[in-house]
Amino acid sequence: MSAYQQMPASQRQMSGSSSNYMDVSDMPMENKQQQTMMWQNTYLGGDSGIQSGVTTQAPSISSKGGQDAEMEAEMDGSGMMFDWEQGFNQGFSQEQVNEMNQQLNQTRSQRVRAAMFPETLEEGVQIPSAQVHPDQPTSVQRLAEPSQMLKHAVVNLINYQDDTDLATRAIPELTKLLNDEDQVVVSQAAMMVHQLSKKEASRHAIMNSPQMIAALVRAMTNTNDIETTRCAAGTLHNLSHHRQGLLAIFKSGGIPALVKLLSSPVESVLFYAITTLHNLLLHQEGSKMAVRLAGGLQKMVQLLQRNNVKFLAICTDCLQILAYGNQESKLIILASGGPAELVRIMRSYTYEKLLWTTSRVIKVLSVCSSNKPAIVEAGGLQALAMHLGHQSQRLVQNCLWTLRNLSDAATKVDGMEILLQMLVQLLTSSDINVVTCSAGILSNLTCNNQNNKVLVCQMGGIEALVRTILQAGDREDITEPAVCALRHLTSRHPESDMAQNAVRLNFGLPTLVKLLHPPSRWPLIKAVVGLIRNLALCPANHAPLREHGALPRIVQLLIRAHQDTQRQRASMASNSSQQSSGYVDGVRMEEIVEGTVGALHILAREAHNRAVIRGLNCIPLFVQLLYSPIENIQRVAAGVLCELASDKEGAEVIEQEGATAPLTELLHSRNEGVATYAAAVLFRMSEDKPQDYKKRLSTELTSSLFRGDPMTWNEGAPNLDEIGIPPMDDSYQTPPYSQQPPPDHGSENSLQSGNVPQGGPYTPQGPHTPSYESQAPVDSMQGLEIGSQQGSNFGPMDHLPDLSQGGQDLNFESLDIPPQGQGHTGQGHTGQDQSAMGAAWFDTDL
């Protein structure tokens, strides 16, 4: 027997019920006849019973008995009723099928009507469905949705035209009613206009009627009825979403009326007023000035005391738009108490959009010299620091740039532990803008603040800054503030010795020396020279700096800078000019001269370094610098000669270069440091002289250095302490060299030379440093390049003479050494010279 025959009878039984019959395809196929039979039932059984109402029987290919005959017997009419629809639980006769087909044909139009216009059918009418399976919609059902869309579009067009016609006819009458003396009539008219403004067609009709908008503004201004005010303000709010509506409101004098509503006690009126003004400020030209003239700034600052975060977000954005690029607006916000309220919002709320818009206002105010102290005093730095770990990148960037702008006014502020910790961590960020800001803020906060210096050193700041410089490569917008921060951290605090060693231990010295070479520009070079001077205070750094070639490169820079200053003076003399900027990339060449000589002064404390410096044949230049009209240059030149004179060879070369005369003149300098160094050099040069020469020199030194002290010197060679040389001051400070940018920028971020008090913090060099205000409504960072001014009047620095320790003789003929006795005593300087010599070169503490 076949496998099929061996199955239990209960499984082989096929009744008319759909629940227990067996499909033909489930039967086992042991021979080709069975396969053929299954194929016929599947593909050739055209009459499945739905048409004829009788069962379908597969014809046998063979009339032979055996298995085929037995299978035919199993497949009789009673066992082969196919269940095509699960709802059909019994068979249908041919008459029943014909009746069903006739009914479906007769109701076809009703089914189409039910699909496209269901609202036209009478209630209770049952429409037979032609759907066979729930998951397979009929053609009519598939066309129903696009048909409905088409119908609605046609209806909307009809209604739009109806709304337009209605509004056009009603507007003249409503305009008269709005001008009525009866306030009840005005109120009803305003309510109707408000309803009309909610529909697009009638809203356009209102915008096209200047008389209607003027009547709305008058009604809103003159009425005392809250409902009238609310409806009129709501209408203007709806119109403000269209440019044509904004222009109509502006021309109708709506801005003063809206500003007046900012004092309303009604929440809905306030909302309509501030959002309409916001749309006007964003998109309507001339609205900013109109809001300022109407007193909108004062009203908006008062509204900052409310507690609705979304309302505050719109209000602060309005303030940002009004204050950007307008100094008068910034001062009005300050006079209204704005900084304190803005800082309070940053402390009190967590709504990201409000924090972002508020930080933008503070950023705009942070470039105003008047607002900056007020923000710092209100705790602005600490409030901004709270959000440096926020998930919103735009908020973090705004906070960082605002902190960057404020940080130069916060050098004396304490309680910066959390902020400093966050800044050190942010130095590891992959975002260049974040690293740039963090380095700049650290540079400013560590300027002349001993407590902050110690904190940053203890937090691993030295390692983080050195790593930042190593990773930054030639990106000067990062390396310059990072080097300035290191310069502050390596002097004038209890941890400075550790910091000086840490730079070397973190492999920073080779990179720093490399930064003295092209393509580095003068602002970065100036900062690196100052840092090297500080690092030279640590004896362990002398040999590595020498081995990495720091000495020859510093001398090259000195020569180049001095030649540039000589050219500038010659140009001034030929043009009979009384004033010249003398800047290259925002840096005065006199500052480079002073800085390089100051670094060589500290490096010359070590014997091997003194030998290298002598081999570079730069002593003639040091002697010439004694004639400089700038006291600070005189002092560092006399200082380096003092160190070089401690060796017999150096003293002899100094004397041979004719240093005796200018040093003797400098004994009478009003600057005690200059006079003391000059005396030390002269005394060391006299060690091999006859006794009577020493005695005359001693008398001269006594009369010069101890004018009010009758004490005389011993005839023996005194040490430096005995002749009164003060200890080396590590606190060289430079004025921030600030020069104000053009008024349009409203920025206090540019640093130039010589007209601000000493000890200023790091700020990027250059007369045109961009403001860090980001223009509304641009969200991305703008103007991120620190010290990005391009171009030098003196060409590149990559063709300097190649100096080596054995060095060849240098030609100083072009340096135009002035004749002796040319006013080098530090007296009688012009006002311009006095401003240049107000403090040492370094733009921050060292």
Side-chain angles (χ1 to χ4, degrees):
M1 292 179 64
S2 67
Y4 176 75
Q5 291 170 314
Q6 294 174 359
M7 294 174 62
S10 61
Q11 296 185 18
R12 290 186 280 117
Q13 179 66 35
M14 293 184 178
S15 67
S17 173
S18 62
S19 61
N20 59 2
Y21 76 86
M22 181 174 180
D23 192 83
V24 176
S25 61
D26 294 333
M27 294 189 301
M29 295 174 289
E30 294 186 352
N31 54 42
K32 295 182 179 180
Q33 287 80 2
Q34 294 176 9
Q35 297 176 10
T36 303
M37 185 193 67
M38 187 202 73
W39 180 84
Q40 286 180 327
N41 274 283
T42 306
Y43 297 100
L44 298 182
D47 184 4
S48 62
I50 200 69
Q51 300 292 337
S52 63
V54 298
T55 60
T56 301
Q57 200 171 9
S60 175
I61 295 178
S62 173
S63 61
K64 298 178 181 180
Q67 296 178 353
D68 294 353
E70 184 178 351
M71 186 174 295
E72 289 180 22
E74 291 285 343
M75 295 164 56
D76 60 1
S78 62
M80 289 302 297
M81 172 60 74
F82 281 73
D83 185 7
W84 290 94
E85 174 67 45
Q86 291 184 1
F88 296 171
N89 293 326
Q90 60 184 3
F92 294 97
S93 65
Q94 183 63 45
E95 290 76 9
Q96 290 174 319
V97 171
N98 290 337
E99 183 180 354
M100 293 169 61
N101 287 338
Q102 183 179 2
Q103 184 181 8
L104 290 173
N105 290 333
Q106 291 174 350
T107 58
R108 180 178 294 119
S109 61
Q110 289 180 312
R111 292 198 305 277
V112 172
R113 183 180 179 184
M116 295 186 64
F117 306 101
E119 66 275 6
T120 63
L121 293 177
E122 297 180 3
E123 293 184 5
V125 176
Q126 297 293 331
I127 306 297
S129 173
Q131 188 173 8
V132 176
H133 195 277
D135 295 334
Q136 297 178 354
T138 64
S139 298
V140 173
Q141 289 172 331
R142 286 197 296 268
L143 290 172
E145 184 177 356
S147 301
Q148 291 284 340
M149 294 175 63
L150 176 61
K151 182 192 71 172
H152 288 313
V154 173
V155 172
N156 287 338
L157 284 174
I158 296 172
N159 292 338
Y160 187 92
Q161 185 62 43
D162 291 345
D163 291 341
T164 304
D165 295 341
L166 174 63
T168 303
R169 291 194 300 269
I171 283 175
E173 292 298 325
L174 289 172
T175 303
K176 293 179 181 178
L177 295 175
L178 285 172
N179 293 323
D180 197 280
E181 295 181 358
D182 189 339
Q183 292 300 309
V184 176
V185 174
V186 173
S187 178
Q188 293 295 323
M191 194 178 305
M192 293 180 65
V193 175
H194 187 209
Q195 291 299 322
L196 286 174
S197 70
K198 294 180 180 180
K199 294 185 177 181
E200 185 176 0
S202 52
R203 188 160 60 240
H204 282 282
I206 296 173
M207 286 187 289
N208 290 325
S209 174
Q211 296 83 3
M212 167 62 79
I213 298 179
L216 280 170
V217 172
R218 279 196 301 272
M220 188 172 65
T221 304
N222 299 329
T223 186
N224 293 322
D225 181 63
I226 294 177
E227 191 61 23
T228 303
T229 304
R230 186 188 67 81
C231 292
T235 302
L236 295 183
H237 166 76
N238 293 335
L239 300 181
S240 70
H241 292 89
H242 304 268
R243 288 194 177 274
Q244 184 180 355
L246 292 171
L247 181 61
I249 295 171
F250 179 73
K251 287 184 174 180
S252 301
I255 288 181
L258 289 167
V259 170
K260 181 181 177 182
L261 294 185
L262 293 179
S263 301
S264 172
V266 182
E267 288 284 339
S268 58
V269 173
L270 271 179
F271 169 79
Y272 286 141
I274 196 68
T275 51
T276 306
L277 287 170
H278 187 238
N279 290 335
L280 285 162
L281 291 171
L282 283 174
H283 306 295
Q284 179 58 50
E285 185 179 358
S287 59
K288 297 178 187 177
M289 183 57 67
V291 172
R292 294 184 188 115
L293 293 176
L297 279 164
Q298 294 89 332
K299 294 275 185 74
M300 291 176 185
V301 172
Q302 293 174 3
L303 292 174
L304 294 178
Q305 299 177 5
R306 305 186 73 87
N307 55 12
N308 185 312
V309 291
K310 295 185 178 180
F311 177 86
L312 288 174
I314 298 174
C315 190
T316 50
D317 203 43
C318 290
L319 286 173
Q320 191 271 338
I321 296 171
L322 290 166
Y324 177 78
N326 189 280
Q327 181 65 18
E328 183 181 356
S329 296
K330 297 173 187 177
L331 295 177
I332 292 174
I333 293 174
L334 173 63
S336 304
E341 287 298 323
L342 293 167
V343 170
R344 182 188 62 81
I345 290 175
M346 293 299 294
R347 288 184 179 276
S348 306
Y349 295 96
T350 58
Y351 182 49
E352 188 271 345
K353 189 170 185 179
L354 173 58
L355 294 174
W356 175 65
T357 55
T358 305
S359 68
R360 294 177 75 208
V361 186
I362 300 177
K363 180 171 64 174
V364 171
L365 298 179
S366 69
V367 299
C368 170
S369 58
S370 301
N371 274 281
K372 188 180 295 190
I375 297 171
V376 173
E377 185 178 352
L381 275 79
Q382 293 86 341
L384 291 165
M386 294 169 56
H387 306 289
L388 292 182
H390 201 280
Q391 293 180 346
S392 171
Q393 195 63 22
R394 65 177 185 174
L395 174 60
V396 172
Q397 288 185 342
N398 270 290
C399 289
L400 280 172
W401 278 116
T402 308
L403 287 166
R404 165 66 188 77
N405 291 342
L406 294 171
S407 57
D408 62 337
T411 56
K412 305 300 181 184
V413 177
D414 294 324
M416 296 282 104
E417 293 83 357
I418 296 176
L419 174 57
L420 294 172
Q421 182 69 60
M422 287 296 300
L423 293 171
V424 172
Q425 293 176 4
L426 289 174
L427 288 176
T428 61
S429 171
S430 58
D431 189 319
I432 292 176
N433 296 326
V434 171
V435 176
T436 302
C437 291
S438 300
I441 300 167
L442 281 172
S443 176
N444 283 348
L445 293 181
T446 54
C447 174
N448 297 326
N449 190 310
Q450 189 177 101
N451 184 51
N452 287 350
K453 292 180 184 183
V454 173
L455 288 172
V456 173
C457 288
Q458 293 175 348
M459 294 171 179
I462 299 294
E463 294 82 355
L465 287 166
V466 172
R467 183 171 58 250
T468 299
I469 294 170
L470 295 176
Q471 294 173 348
D474 58 356
R475 292 191 62 89
E476 293 191 25
D477 50 348
I478 295 177
T479 53
E480 184 187 350
V483 168
C484 287
L486 282 177
R487 187 179 58 194
H488 304 158
L489 295 171
T490 50
S491 71
R492 298 179 60 203
H493 66 94
E495 303 286 339
S496 59
D497 292 343
M498 179 276 292
Q500 294 159 10
N501 280 291
V503 174
R504 180 185 74 257
L505 297 175
N506 285 277
F507 311 103
L509 296 183
T511 300
L512 291 174
V513 175
K514 182 180 178 181
L515 291 177
L516 292 174
H517 294 77
S520 296
R521 294 164 53 254
W522 285 117
L524 176 58
I525 291 174
K526 171 184 169 181
V528 174
V529 169
L531 175 56
I532 288 177
R533 180 213 172 272
N534 283 355
L535 296 176
L537 296 171
C538 174
N541 287 329
H542 283 209
L545 286 171
R546 181 174 65 250
E547 293 166 1
H548 292 302
L551 290 167
R553 181 57 187 171
I554 291 175
V555 172
Q556 286 179 323
L557 294 170
L558 167 61
I559 295 171
R560 175 61 184 275
H562 184 67
Q563 290 173 343
D564 286 349
T565 59
Q566 295 298 98
R567 279 195 291 268
Q568 291 170 10
R569 286 178 185 165
S571 175
M572 290 173 61
S574 62
N575 297 330
S576 300
S577 174
Q578 298 297 319
Q579 188 172 1
S580 177
S581 63
Y583 290 106
V584 181
D585 290 336
V587 178
R588 296 182 59 185
M589 290 298 99
E590 289 84 357
E591 301 165 8
I592 300 296
V593 171
E594 183 184 342
T596 51
V597 177
L600 291 171
H601 176 194
I602 306 302
L603 288 166
R605 293 178 175 180
E606 203 264 343
H608 291 86
N609 288 343
R610 290 197 294 272
V612 173
I613 294 172
R614 285 199 307 271
L616 293 171
N617 301 307
C618 51
I619 291 179
L621 180 53
F622 297 147
V623 174
Q624 179 188 346
L625 292 176
L626 296 174
Y627 295 96
S628 172
I630 300 174
E631 261 188 4
N632 287 330
I633 293 180
Q634 293 176 355
R635 178 176 52 77
V636 292
V640 69
L641 289 175
C642 176
E643 296 294 343
L644 293 173
S646 60
D647 296 330
K648 182 178 179 181
E649 299 87 345
E652 291 175 351
V653 175
I654 293 170
E655 186 174 6
Q656 291 171 5
E657 294 299 330
T660 303
L663 288 170
T664 304
E665 288 288 332
L666 290 177
L667 290 175
H668 306 283
S669 172
R670 293 179 300 179
N671 187 306
E672 183 180 352
V674 173
T676 304
Y677 279 129
V681 178
L682 288 171
F683 194 89
R684 285 173 172 170
M685 289 167 52
S686 68
E687 289 186 353
D688 294 337
K689 297 296 185 293
Q691 193 64 30
D692 57 343
Y693 178 87
K694 289 183 179 182
K695 189 171 184 179
R696 290 196 305 272
L697 177 60
S698 176
T699 304
E700 178 69 17
L701 295 179
T702 301
S703 62
S704 300
L705 296 178
F706 303 97
R707 294 180 180 88
D709 190 341
M711 181 191 75
T712 57
W713 287 17
N714 298 324
E715 293 185 359
N719 58 33
L720 295 184
D721 292 334
E722 290 174 340
I723 64 172
I725 291 183
M728 191 64 195
D729 184 8
D730 299 339
S731 61
Y732 289 159
Q733 303 174 28
T734 303
Y737 300 115
S738 246
Q739 186 179 63
Q740 297 299 330
D744 296 351
H745 295 177
S747 170
E748 316 302 329
N749 295 318
S750 302
L751 285 190
Q752 296 298 324
S753 183
N755 40 9
V756 188
Q758 293 188 13
Y762 162 81
T763 53
Q765 301 288 342
H768 302 295
T769 303
S771 166
Y772 294 116
E773 301 179 17
S774 63
Q775 298 193 20
V778 178
D779 295 345
S780 59
M781 301 290 291
Q782 299 289 338
L784 304 183
E785 297 298 324
I786 293 182
S788 57
Q789 299 70 33
Q790 301 296 327
S792 165
N793 297 329
F794 302 95
M797 295 182 291
D798 48 354
H799 299 297
L800 296 180
D802 184 16
L803 303 182
S804 60
Q805 295 186 13
Q808 56 189 11
D809 291 339
L810 299 177
N811 181 11
F812 293 98
E813 294 177 0
S814 62
L815 300 184
D816 300 329
I817 299 178
Q820 296 186 8
Q822 185 184 351
H824 51 268
T825 61
Q827 303 178 15
H829 292 297
T830 64
Q832 180 182 354
D833 291 335
Q834 290 285 4
S835 66
M837 51 188 258
W841 161 76
F842 308 93
D843 63 55
T844 48
D845 61 349
L846 289 173

